[in-house]
Amino acid sequence: QVQLVESGGGSVQAGGSLRVSCTASGYIYYMGWFRQAPGKEREGVAVLDHNDRTMYAESVKGRFTISRDNAKITLYLQMNSLKPEDSAVYYCAVITSPACPLDADPYNFWGQGTQVTVSA
């Protein structure tokens, strides 16, 4: 059983930065960040695989960075140059077998989410 807890959300002005964190336990193949804004589908943001290879949505490349600590217990998403369209609830998610990494559907372990709000 994988347990996930997110933290670090908040409100910032456009162009600002936030770092969200997720603590995890249990076996993980992919660890990633997803987001969901009101009225929109949940979308993949950034993912790390079990070899620490990174994958990013095109909309966040160059602005967001995914990483984890050496113990692979804490996952981070550093968000720079934030835009109002980045406003969403950000979820940490994991999957324990291979899948399309930025596709939310196969992920079966989810945190409760942390709200990120970016003001123009």
Side-chain angles (χ1 to χ4, degrees):
Q1 175 66 39
V2 177
Q3 302 287 336
L4 302 169
V5 180
E6 302 100 332
S7 62
S11 298
V12 299
Q13 295 183 356
S17 298
L18 283 173
R19 187 178 72 170
V20 290
S21 303
C22 173
T23 58
S25 63
Y27 175 78
I28 297 167
Y29 194 87
Y30 292 145
M31 303 178 65
W33 290 99
F34 296 76
R35 65 187 182 187
Q36 187 167 25
K40 295 186 177 182
E41 293 282 329
R42 188 170 298 181
E43 63 176 348
V45 177
V47 170
L48 279 174
D49 74 6
H50 61 291
N51 291 318
D52 288 331
R53 290 186 286 261
T54 60
M55 294 147 280
Y56 295 94
E58 288 294 327
S59 60
V60 306
K61 284 182 179 178
R63 299 189 298 122
F64 292 8
T65 302
I66 188 170
S67 63
R68 60 182 164 187
D69 64 19
N70 290 335
K72 300 186 178 182
I73 295 173
T74 304
L75 182 71
Y76 303 99
L77 185 70
Q78 178 66 47
M79 300 181 286
N80 299 326
S81 301
L82 283 161
K83 304 175 181 179
E85 51 262 48
D86 295 316
S87 297
V89 176
Y90 282 71
Y91 297 92
C92 178
V94 305
I95 192 167
T96 57
S97 61
C100 294
L102 292 171
D103 182 0
D105 290 343
Y107 286 73
N108 52 3
F109 298 100
W110 294 87
Q112 294 181 333
T114 185
Q115 177 70 51
V116 170
T117 302
V118 183
S119 301

